[in-house]
Amino acid sequence: MALPALQGYGPDGFRIAGEVVAGSVILLPDRVLPWTASCLAEASPESLAPVIEAGAALDLLVLGTGRRFALAPPGLAKALHAVGIAVEAMDTAAACRTFPVLAAEGRRVAAALIAL
């Protein structure tokens, strides 16, 4: 499956496959989903259920934490690790640069990006 093409980000959202998507997003190998988290405190296992459900198809989640770097909440990291998904947290700008590189390498990666 082709990963969604993340082409850019800004205050209005993300440019994915040529279209602007407002708000936070989850990028899975087969689809782009809106994400309800507007800050890292709202990033929960429940909010990332589609990622957890895709566990066997993924090795890594790139977590864009917003304007500033922060660690993934412990409960979130634990839930992802339980299904075999490692979490790499970074500010959203860094996540937007990292995700396409990993995808181009053929890595089994998803992204959850908090809008700026």
Side-chain angles (χ1 to χ4, degrees), residues 16-69:
I16 302 169
E19 296 190 26
V20 174
V21 178
S24 301
V25 296
I26 296 172
L27 303 175
L28 292 168
D30 59 347
R31 63 193 185 276
V32 177
L33 301 170
W35 187 25
T36 58
S38 61
C39 65
L40 192 57
E42 296 172 358
S44 66
E46 295 78 21
S47 75
L48 285 173
V51 175
I52 292 169
E53 291 166 7
L58 300 172
D59 294 323
L60 177 66
L61 174 69
V62 175
L63 177 62
T65 60
R67 292 193 181 279
R68 297 177 189 218
F69 165 77

Side-chain angles (χ1 to χ4, degrees), residues 52-104:
I52 292 169
E53 291 166 7
L58 300 172
D59 294 323
L60 177 66
L61 174 69
V62 175
L63 177 62
T65 60
R67 292 193 181 279
R68 297 177 189 218
F69 165 77
L71 294 173
L76 177 61
K78 184 177 179 180
L80 290 164
H81 284 281
V83 296
I85 302 172
V87 181
E88 187 67 41
M90 57 193 76
D91 65 69
T92 295
C96 288
R97 292 187 302 270
T98 302
F99 175 77
V101 172
L102 296 173

